[in-house]
Amino acid sequence: LLRRQPRHRRRRGVAVHLTERDDAVLQALARFRLARTSDLVAYAFAGVRGDTAAVRLRRLFDSRHLAVLPPERAAENVYRLGPLGKAYLTERGVEVGRAPRGGLEHHLAIVQTWVTISALEDIELERCLPDWELREQFSVGELHVVPDLFMLVRAGSDLHAIAAEVDFGTESQAVLHRKLGEYRSLWGRA
């Protein structure tokens, strides 16, 4: 009888040779900071059997390229970069930011929205900046309002700027109305 390895404990001595797909997973996690299994599978394993993707994510976890947040019973894993994943990306000049504090469900909903939009077939996502990158890259004075996701989307030959808000019912109606007013005042400006 084989005992099942708990999903939050690593198997010892697992080494991996990183593939292009593994690199894509690590690069994505550098931007996402945290992501559920389903988001990583949708992003990097499209067209691959679910159990194949799960085995590969497990090997990346066991090899310390990925880490998982303490698991909740009956919930899927939430991944972040592990020590070897951070080292791998740092060696390649990729800046690795910190995972967000608090607001985990909202953060994961933003990542899910980002992954879902990037998979749409009729558009091309040319640029996407989540709120945590916007806050890192711009000063408060430069941004009148910080959307959850700011995207440049190409549909055919047209390029559209889109600000997305992921509502979890945590912001008051007054805050939402203020944000919408800010968006209206920015309409048509660079």
Side-chain angles (χ1 to χ4, degrees):
L1 182 70
L2 289 173
R3 284 193 44 204
R4 188 174 169 162
Q5 179 78 10
R7 62 181 169 153
H8 63 285
R9 288 208 188 112
R10 288 187 170 91
R11 293 182 187 105
R12 296 180 189 268
V14 175
V16 297
H17 173 76
L18 294 177
T19 65
E20 278 185 45
R21 180 178 288 130
D22 297 336
D23 180 75
V25 167
L26 296 174
Q27 297 271 353
L29 268 175
R31 301 262 337 263
F32 297 156
R33 313 287 170 91
L34 297 171
R36 289 185 185 102
T37 303
S38 58
D39 295 321
L40 291 177
V41 169
Y43 179 80
F45 295 89
V48 175
R49 288 181 24 186
D51 58 336
T52 301
V55 166
R56 190 58 184 179
L57 290 173
R58 177 64 200 219
R59 287 192 53 81
L60 290 171
F61 169 72
D62 288 337
S63 67
R64 300 174 46 117
H65 286 87
L66 299 180
V68 293
L69 296 184
E72 292 184 26
R73 195 171 202 74
E76 61 185 306
N77 281 343
V78 176
Y79 288 95
R80 62 183 169 86
L81 288 171
L84 290 183
K86 288 177 187 175
Y88 170 83
L89 291 172
T90 301
E91 285 175 12
R92 283 150 185 76
V94 176
E95 193 172 320
V96 178
R98 293 191 332 252
R101 294 186 204 126
L104 180 64
E105 289 304 314
H106 185 252
H107 179 90
L108 293 172
I110 294 169
V111 171
Q112 182 182 36
T113 301
W114 183 355
V115 169
T116 301
I117 291 170
S118 72
L120 294 174
E121 293 186 16
D122 295 340
I123 65 165
E124 181 182 341
L125 190 57
E126 289 209 3
R127 181 113 165 115
C128 188
L129 293 169
D131 70 348
W132 53 93
E133 287 183 357
L134 289 167
R135 292 175 199 284
E136 290 171 353
Q137 294 180 20
F138 297 95
S139 71
V140 176
E142 291 176 282
L143 299 174
H144 299 282
V145 63
V146 180
D148 290 330
L149 282 172
F150 176 77
M151 299 167 280
L152 292 177
V153 175
R154 184 165 301 282
S157 61
D158 297 325
L159 187 65
H160 303 278
I162 300 173
E165 292 289 338
V166 178
D167 181 24
F168 257 62
T170 56
E171 291 185 306
S172 70
Q173 289 290 322
V175 169
L176 290 174
H177 286 297
R178 183 190 59 76
K179 279 187 170 183
L180 289 172
E182 288 287 343
Y183 287 133
R184 273 193 291 277
S185 74
L186 295 171
W187 187 258
R189 293 178 25 203

